[in-house]
């Protein structure tokens, strides 16, 4: 009788093993086997991290094996099992790989196909077409869209982490409990003694050092020492936490009535302001999105204020970016003066602090939350709803949505709930003209490496543009992203459909870059740039000044966050800047969803390019007092998971 050797790999994460009964059935082109209990006497099967082999004897020839059915039945207590893969050795000596990388919960069954990636048009056998269809039908019942807040991209229909499908939950919920992580941060930063001192102001700037963990030669220490300087202020728009807002100013805005006479002491080329604009030496950051926004009312004991500044910057003769004019609200007038470097020291300093605070809010809500977390969640939900596990695009992208829906659900539950805590820019592409924009330079290197990799994968599975256009599952995925994630808005820049291989490669590059590099660029520098509270205040406790010449240092300190809120902020940015214990970085694909040699070779070339980029960035940073390493591939997690 035909005999098969079945090798079963259990995951190595916590609680991955099971004591339940595991049954296996083989479905072949010539028949289906009985179900076989996978069990070895006097042996603890399916332990965490185990690879177990079993001999399965069948009565009749089964032909080509098309599917494997795994059933899990309760033994004693309910537990989940994480099945990595099954390898089948046939009676002819051939090996067939069946990737799984899924949790099997309760008493249930899953049906696996072999690991070769297939488009729907490649499946001609009825049972495989049926399996493909049923998988999506099941997923679409589990992964449902829900409106979290009006105007935001739709999110997963789950109120809390435990409501999520098991396959996209964290391995251990404890590891992403924000309250627990903040508590750890408070202990690590030695700031517990200040935690409950709300409404208690600091005495002066130096007083903030009581909660500032000084580590020699770090960016955060450089920020503490130089935060008041115009050069440090301008540098952060290029290489700080929010390097995506600065634009080249093509025309002075009508609601910023700044003149050459106001700023002539800052202009080094003996030209008028208009001439500097024409030469491309003037840049602008406009925070108009904050205009009219209600302040966060989570703390009824503390008045909090927002501004919507316009900040004009200048590229000096040293090619450094420095501020030359700041207006703190959008409507010009006598009570909305334009602050200048030539003003009194504390007038100018307070204007810059207001800009930094506004930048903090835009960074957290738009750059970080919306444009990385929520957009990546959209990709993840659409992926599971519209692409079966056998689809090459699912296999390519699944590593880049790992834990993304889980971290966002946790955030909605604990961090950004009602009572919780709170494109590359136009004209910035010339490397000779703006030589110190490392976010741009490193980002382009990583972008190109990802684009080359996705183009290779697309070439392997799509023979022509016609195959792309005819891939209905792919089109449904793209449409799900557009209709539900982007709410059908053409202004989002996302297409309703994809018709060519080139456009598909570009689309996949956007998905991977957003989930990996872009998130890394705007997330992991938060402690570096935000730990010195005066550099980026998370809240301001007095309104913006309406006149010049009256600001004192005591007033500035009183405007800044109180001791308690400063500590909460410090704990938050510390926790958000840490990598996960089980972090997977860009180019790492330990789950082998792909089994084909051409794709594995493409992955190897991708990793080699990333290694080269790591070396290039490391060499440049050797000469920098302020190194920029957020886009070094060895510091870019594969997915949004923190």
């Amino acid at each position: 009788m035909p005999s098969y050797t079945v090798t079963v790999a259990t995951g190595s994460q916590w609680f991955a093993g099971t004591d339940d009964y595991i049954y296996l059935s083989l479905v072949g082109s010539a028949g289906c086997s009985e179900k076989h209990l996978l069990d070895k006497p006097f042996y603890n099967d399916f332990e965490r991290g185990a690879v177990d082999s079993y001999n399965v004897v069948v009565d009749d020839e089964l032909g080509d094996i098309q599917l494997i059915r795994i059933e899990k039945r309760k033994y004693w207590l309910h537990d989940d099992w994480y099945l990595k893969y099954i390898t089948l050795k046939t009676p002819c000596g051939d090996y067939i790989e069946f990737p799984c990388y899924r949790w099997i919960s309760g008493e249930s069954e899953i049906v696996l196909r072999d690991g070769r990636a297939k488009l729907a048009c490649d499946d001609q056998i009825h049972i495989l077409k049926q399996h493909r269809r049923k998988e999506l039908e099941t997923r679409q019942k589990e992964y449902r869209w829900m409106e979290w807040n009006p105007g935001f991209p739709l999110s997963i229909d789950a109120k809390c982490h435990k409501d999520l499908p098991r396959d996209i939950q964290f391995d251990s919920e404890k590891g992403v409990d924000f309250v627990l992580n903040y508590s750890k941060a408070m202990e690590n930063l030695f700031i517990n003694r200040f935690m409950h001192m709300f409404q208690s102001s600091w005495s002066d700037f130096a007083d903030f050092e009581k909660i500032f963990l000084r580590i020699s030669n770090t960016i955060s220490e450089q920020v503490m020492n130089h935060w008041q300087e115009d050069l440090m202020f301008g540098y952060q728009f290029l290489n700080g936490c929010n390097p995506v807002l600065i634009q080249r100013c093509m025309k002075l805005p009508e609601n910023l009535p700044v003149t050459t006479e106001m700023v002539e002491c800052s202009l080094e080329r003996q030209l008028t302001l208009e001439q500097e604009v024409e030469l491309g030496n003037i840049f602008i950051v406009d925070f108009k999105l904050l205009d009219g926004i209600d302040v966060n009312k989570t703390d009824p004991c503390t008045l909090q204020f927002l501004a919507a500044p316009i900040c004009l910057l200048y590229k000096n003769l040293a090619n450094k970016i420095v501020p030359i004019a700041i207006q703190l609200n959008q409507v010009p007038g006598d009570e909305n003066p334009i602050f200048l470097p030539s003003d009194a020291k504390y007038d100018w300093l307070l204007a810059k602090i207001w800009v930094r605070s506004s930048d903090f809010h835009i960074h957290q809500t738009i750059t970080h939350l919306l444009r990385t977390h929520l957009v990546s969640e959209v990709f993840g939900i659409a992926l599971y709803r519209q692409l079966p596990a056998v689809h090459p695009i699912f296999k390519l992208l699944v590593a880049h949505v790992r834990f993304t829906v889980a971290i966002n659900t946790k955030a909605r539950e604990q961090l950004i709930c009602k009572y919780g805590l709170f494109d590359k820019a136009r004209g910035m592409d010339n490397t000779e003209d703006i030589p110190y924009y490392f976010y741009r330079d490193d980002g382009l290197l990583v972008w190109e490496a990802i684009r080359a990799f996705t183009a290779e994968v697309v070439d392997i599975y799509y023979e022509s543009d016609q195959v792309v256009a005819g891939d209905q599952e792919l089109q449904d995925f793209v449409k799900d992203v557009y209709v539900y994630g982007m709410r059908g808005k053409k202004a989002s820049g996302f297409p309703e459909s994809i018709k060519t291989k080139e456009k598909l490669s570009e689309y996949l590059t956007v998905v991977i870059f957003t989930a990996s590099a872009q998130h890394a660029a705007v997330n992991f520098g938060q402690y570096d740039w935000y730990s010195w509270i005066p550099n980026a205040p998370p809240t301001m406790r007095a309104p913006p000044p309406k006149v010049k010449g009256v600001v004192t240092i005591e007033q500035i300190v009183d405007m800044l966050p109180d001791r308690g809120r400063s500590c909460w902020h410090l704990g938050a940015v510390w926790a958000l800047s840490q990598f996960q214990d089980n972090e997977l970085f860009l180019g790492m694909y330990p789950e082998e969803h792909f089994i084909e040699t051409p794709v594995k070779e493409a992955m190897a070339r991708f990793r080699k390019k990333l290694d080269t980029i790591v070396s290039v960035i490391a060499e440049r940073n050797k000469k920098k007092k302020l190194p920029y390493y957020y886009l070094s591939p060895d510091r870019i997690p594969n997915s949004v998971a923190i």
Side-chain angles (χ1 to χ4, degrees):
M1 292 186 290
S3 175
Y4 294 82
T5 301
V6 178
T7 301
V8 181
T10 297
S12 57
Q13 56 268 65
W14 288 106
F15 312 114
T18 184
D19 290 324
D20 285 353
Y21 297 111
I22 303 297
Y23 296 90
L24 175 139
S25 305
L26 302 176
V27 179
S29 58
C32 182
S33 75
E34 297 291 324
K35 69 179 183 181
H36 294 262
L37 176 64
L38 300 182
D39 180 59
K40 289 187 278 192
F42 310 109
Y43 179 76
N44 200 347
D45 305 276
F46 314 116
E47 285 290 280
R48 172 184 165 214
V51 178
D52 301 315
S53 293
Y54 304 87
N55 193 45
V56 174
V57 178
V58 300
D59 295 331
D60 302 303
E61 293 288 344
L62 300 178
D64 295 333
I65 300 300
Q66 297 168 337
L67 301 170
I68 284 182
R69 180 176 289 109
I70 301 292
E71 295 183 44
K72 178 171 168 290
R73 296 293 174 248
K74 186 177 178 181
Y75 168 67
W76 182 246
L77 296 173
H78 166 77
D79 65 4
D80 296 342
W81 178 40
Y82 189 85
L83 173 59
K84 291 175 64 178
Y85 62 82
I86 291 177
T87 300
L88 191 69
K89 182 182 179 183
T90 70
C92 301
D94 297 329
Y95 287 87
I96 308 174
E97 297 177 51
F98 293 83
C100 181
Y101 301 104
R102 288 172 53 189
W103 288 95
I104 306 175
S105 301
E107 292 196 322
S108 58
E109 72 172 45
I110 61 170
V111 180
L112 302 177
R113 288 184 58 163
D114 75 78
R116 293 172 297 172
K118 298 286 185 182
L119 301 177
C121 62
D122 298 326
D123 282 339
Q124 303 301 321
I125 300 171
H126 173 72
I127 193 172
L128 298 182
K129 291 181 178 180
Q130 185 182 48
H131 174 263
R132 198 175 191 117
R133 185 179 68 252
K134 283 187 175 181
E135 181 183 10
L136 290 181
E137 288 173 354
T138 301
R139 290 239 211 97
Q140 286 166 12
K141 292 175 183 176
E142 290 184 303
Y143 297 80
R144 302 175 304 276
W145 294 106
M146 177 189 74
E147 183 176 70
W148 166 53
N149 261 332
F152 279 85
L154 295 191
S155 59
I156 190 79
D157 185 3
K159 292 182 180 178
C160 58
H161 181 261
K162 64 181 177 60
D163 293 340
L164 293 172
R166 185 65 182 92
D167 286 332
I168 60 171
Q169 291 183 21
F170 280 99
D171 294 336
S172 169
E173 186 167 348
K174 182 180 178 182
V176 288
D177 188 298
F178 287 109
V179 175
L180 179 64
N181 287 353
Y182 287 168
S183 299
K184 289 179 182 176
M186 302 309 158
E187 293 175 10
N188 289 334
L189 298 169
F190 308 106
I191 55 178
N192 278 318
R193 66 189 187 277
F194 298 108
M195 280 303 301
H196 304 293
M197 298 177 69
F198 289 92
Q199 283 73 58
S200 172
S201 296
W202 303 95
S203 57
D204 53 31
F205 292 140
D207 204 19
F208 283 95
E209 290 191 47
K210 291 177 179 176
I211 61 168
F212 184 74
L213 189 64
R214 297 192 67 155
I215 304 172
S216 180
N217 296 322
T218 61
I219 291 175
S220 56
E221 189 172 12
Q222 289 281 330
V223 172
M224 183 192 72
N225 291 331
H226 301 284
W227 70 281
Q228 297 188 39
E229 299 169 12
D230 288 353
L231 282 173
M232 177 63 83
F233 179 90
Y235 179 88
Q236 292 181 74
F237 284 117
L238 298 177
N239 302 305
C241 270
N242 198 20
V244 298
L245 292 188
I246 188 169
Q247 301 183 45
R248 195 183 298 274
C249 183
M250 306 299 182
K251 179 184 177 184
L252 293 171
E254 293 182 2
N255 62 334
L256 180 66
V258 62
T259 65
T260 299
E261 289 70 29
M262 290 180 178
V263 298
E264 62 183 347
C265 64
S266 299
L267 305 181
E268 299 179 352
R269 296 176 177 85
Q270 310 305 313
L271 301 172
T272 67
L273 180 59
E274 288 73 17
Q275 289 171 325
E276 296 279 18
V277 169
E278 288 180 12
L279 289 175
N281 296 324
I282 303 298
F283 298 82
I284 191 168
V285 181
D286 191 343
F287 296 92
K288 59 187 174 185
L289 280 175
L290 295 175
D291 192 29
I293 298 292
D294 286 339
V295 294
N296 189 331
K297 297 184 175 71
T298 58
D299 182 358
C301 299
T302 303
L303 285 174
Q304 300 180 67
F305 297 87
L306 285 174
I310 305 172
C311 179
L312 213 61
L313 300 112
Y314 175 63
K315 187 187 74 173
N316 63 21
L317 290 174
N319 283 329
K320 302 294 178 66
I321 302 294
V322 293
I324 59 172
I326 295 172
Q327 181 178 285
L328 292 180
N329 282 299
Q330 293 288 307
V331 180
D334 293 340
E335 294 188 341
N336 187 22
I338 296 176
F339 292 91
L340 307 166
S342 55
D343 289 340
K345 175 182 177 179
Y346 293 123
D347 281 351
W348 181 235
L349 179 61
L350 180 57
K352 290 190 292 180
I353 289 174
W354 268 106
V355 171
R356 294 294 306 134
S357 181
S358 301
D359 191 63
F360 173 86
H361 291 298
I362 291 292
H363 166 255
Q364 295 292 13
T365 56
I366 306 299
T367 308
H368 184 206
L369 174 64
L370 175 62
R371 292 183 178 166
T372 64
H373 277 260
L374 299 185
V375 169
S376 291
E377 179 176 358
V378 164
F379 297 140
I381 299 170
L383 184 77
Y384 278 96
R385 284 174 50 83
Q386 303 298 350
L387 296 179
V390 72
H391 198 289
I393 303 305
F394 180 90
K395 290 174 179 281
L396 175 65
L397 295 183
V398 67
H400 299 287
V401 297
R402 177 177 180 259
F403 297 153
T404 298
V405 181
I407 194 68
N408 288 357
T409 303
K410 267 290 183 182
R412 285 188 286 269
E413 184 183 346
Q414 293 183 330
L415 185 62
I416 47 178
C417 53
K418 185 176 180 182
Y419 299 109
L421 309 172
F422 178 62
D423 316 330
K424 286 195 183 118
R426 287 186 301 111
M428 301 298 294
D429 56 340
N430 191 316
T431 56
E432 293 183 6
D433 197 28
I434 313 166
Y436 302 108
Y437 198 7
F438 306 126
Y439 161 77
R440 172 204 59 205
D441 300 340
D442 299 353
L444 287 172
L445 291 175
V446 175
W447 173 278
E448 181 52 34
I450 296 172
R451 189 208 59 77
F453 172 52
T454 61
E456 283 196 71
V457 176
V458 168
D459 281 341
I460 291 168
Y461 293 103
Y462 292 91
E463 292 183 355
S464 65
D465 293 343
Q466 289 72 25
V467 178
V468 171
D471 183 353
Q472 192 57 51
E473 291 169 341
L474 171 67
Q475 302 304 329
D476 290 342
F477 164 65
V478 172
K479 187 174 182 180
D480 234 32
V481 169
Y482 178 76
V483 172
Y484 297 105
M486 304 305 160
R487 312 297 289 268
K489 297 185 183 298
K490 291 185 177 180
S492 70
F494 283 86
E496 288 185 74
S497 61
I498 292 177
K499 303 298 185 185
T500 68
K501 292 170 61 175
E502 182 181 359
K503 289 296 182 183
L504 175 56
S505 175
E506 180 182 304
Y507 190 92
L508 298 174
T509 304
V510 169
V511 175
I512 296 173
F513 187 90
T514 300
S516 58
Q518 184 61 21
H519 179 256
V522 303
N523 181 75
F524 292 103
Q526 292 189 72
Y527 187 79
D528 288 346
W529 297 101
Y530 294 162
S531 58
W532 181 248
I533 306 293
N535 184 57
T539 186
M540 297 290 276
R541 295 188 292 153
K546 295 182 178 180
V547 295
K548 296 185 181 185
V550 297
V551 174
T552 65
I553 187 171
E554 290 79 15
Q555 288 175 321
I556 294 178
V557 172
D558 283 342
M559 284 187 185
L560 295 174
D562 58 38
R563 294 171 188 255
R565 190 165 294 280
S566 294
C567 292
W568 278 108
H569 165 79
L570 196 60
V573 298
W574 185 89
L576 290 169
S577 300
Q578 307 306 305
F579 294 121
Q580 294 278 12
D581 291 339
N582 56 348
E583 201 73 80
L584 297 176
F585 295 96
L586 190 60
M588 296 170 61
Y589 297 99
E591 295 184 350
E592 296 191 39
H593 292 274
F594 284 111
I595 66 169
E596 296 95 324
T597 299
V599 187
K600 291 185 176 183
E601 291 174 345
M603 287 178 174
R605 286 188 289 272
F606 181 39
R607 283 190 291 270
K608 189 173 181 180
K609 287 181 182 177
L610 295 176
D611 289 342
T612 300
I613 296 171
V614 170
S615 300
V616 169
I617 293 173
E619 187 62 30
R620 178 199 65 209
N621 283 339
K622 286 179 182 178
K623 308 167 187 175
K624 301 294 179 186
K625 288 184 179 179
L626 279 174
Y628 186 84
Y629 45 72
Y630 309 118
L631 284 171
S632 182
D634 59 343
R635 290 173 176 258
I636 299 176
N638 253 338
S639 62
V640 177
I642 187 67

